[in-house]
Amino acid sequence: MHAKYKAVINEVSDYFKKGQPVLIGTISVEVSELLSKMLKQKGIPHNVLNAKQHKSEAEIVAQAGLKNAITIATNMAGRGTDIKLGPGVEELGGLHIIGTARHESRRIDLQLRGRSGRQGDAGSSKFYISLEDDLMRLFNMDKLASYICLLYTSPSPRDKRQS
C-alpha cells in the first residue's frame, strides 16, 4: 500500500512541475489526509476536500482545473460543480485524474474519471491499485498476492543448480 501511495505522490510531483492540474480521488478521509501529509513533506501546495471541508466544497472543486492546482478529494466530493480549465491548461493536457483505489461501485469510478475531459476538454485519468486494497481482499486476492510473493522470493532453477 505504501508503494502505491509513493507512486501516486511521484506522479503528482511530475504533473505539478509541468503546471498541469491534478485531481486525486480517494475512497476515505484517512487516505486523503495521508496523501496530504505526503504532499506537504514534498513541499507541494494542494487543497483537500473531504467530509471535514464540506463547507468550501464547491469553491475547492471549481478551482481544481487551474494551472498548478493539486486537489485531493474523496470520490463523491464535489458532485454538481463544474471544473473549468484555467488559461493555458488545455495546452498542458487538461485536468489529470488519479484514482487511488477502485470503488466497489464502478459507477463511482466512472464519475471520478468523468471529471476530466468534460465537454471536449483535454484530460486524462489513471487508477492505482494494490493487492492490499479492500476491494482486492473482497475478491480474495490474498491467494494471488501470496503467489506473487512466492514468485519473487523463490530461487530460480539456476540458483538451485549452483548451490
Side-chain angles (χ1 to χ4, degrees):
M1 198 69 85
H2 179 72
K4 174 177 77 167
Y5 295 140
K6 189 175 176 185
V8 167
I9 298 302
N10 288 338
E11 182 170 339
V12 170
S13 179
D14 291 344
Y15 278 89
F16 180 72
K17 288 174 189 167
K18 220 171 94 170
Q20 188 171 350
V22 177
L23 175 63
I24 306 166
T26 67
I27 59 171
S28 71
V29 171
E30 294 78 21
V31 172
S32 65
E33 290 178 348
L34 171 65
L35 291 172
S36 176
K37 181 180 176 183
M38 293 173 77
L39 285 171
K40 283 178 188 170
Q41 289 172 344
K42 279 212 157 213
I44 299 174
H46 59 282
N47 289 309
V48 179
L49 177 57
N50 57 36
K52 294 181 179 180
Q53 290 86 14
H54 66 279
K55 290 180 184 175
S56 53
E57 180 175 349
E59 181 183 331
I60 291 172
V61 172
Q63 295 179 13
L66 300 178
K67 201 169 185 180
N68 287 317
I70 306 297
T71 308
I72 302 171
T74 53
N75 285 350
M76 294 300 285
R79 290 184 308 156
T81 305
D82 279 341
I83 299 175
K84 292 189 177 20
L85 299 183
V89 170
E90 182 100 20
E91 293 76 22
L92 294 171
L95 178 65
H96 182 62
I97 303 293
I98 297 177
T100 58
R102 289 292 193 168
H103 197 277
E104 286 181 44
S105 168
R106 184 163 167 77
R107 178 182 56 82
I108 294 173
D109 289 342
L110 292 174
Q111 283 177 344
L112 177 62
R113 270 185 107 179
R115 301 306 309 228
S116 167
R118 288 186 175 237
Q119 300 162 350
D121 288 340
S124 56
S125 64
K126 182 187 251 183
F127 280 78
Y128 284 83
I129 59 168
S130 163
L131 290 173
E132 295 176 329
D133 286 345
D134 289 339
L135 188 59
M136 292 296 154
R137 282 195 218 122
L138 182 70
F139 289 107
N140 202 16
M141 298 305 278
D142 289 341
K143 288 182 182 180
L144 177 62
S146 65
Y147 177 71
I148 290 172
C149 288
L150 249 158
L151 286 174
Y152 285 110
T153 58
S154 297
S156 69
R158 177 180 289 165
D159 292 340
K160 286 181 183 176
R161 281 184 274 145
Q162 291 176 351
S163 52

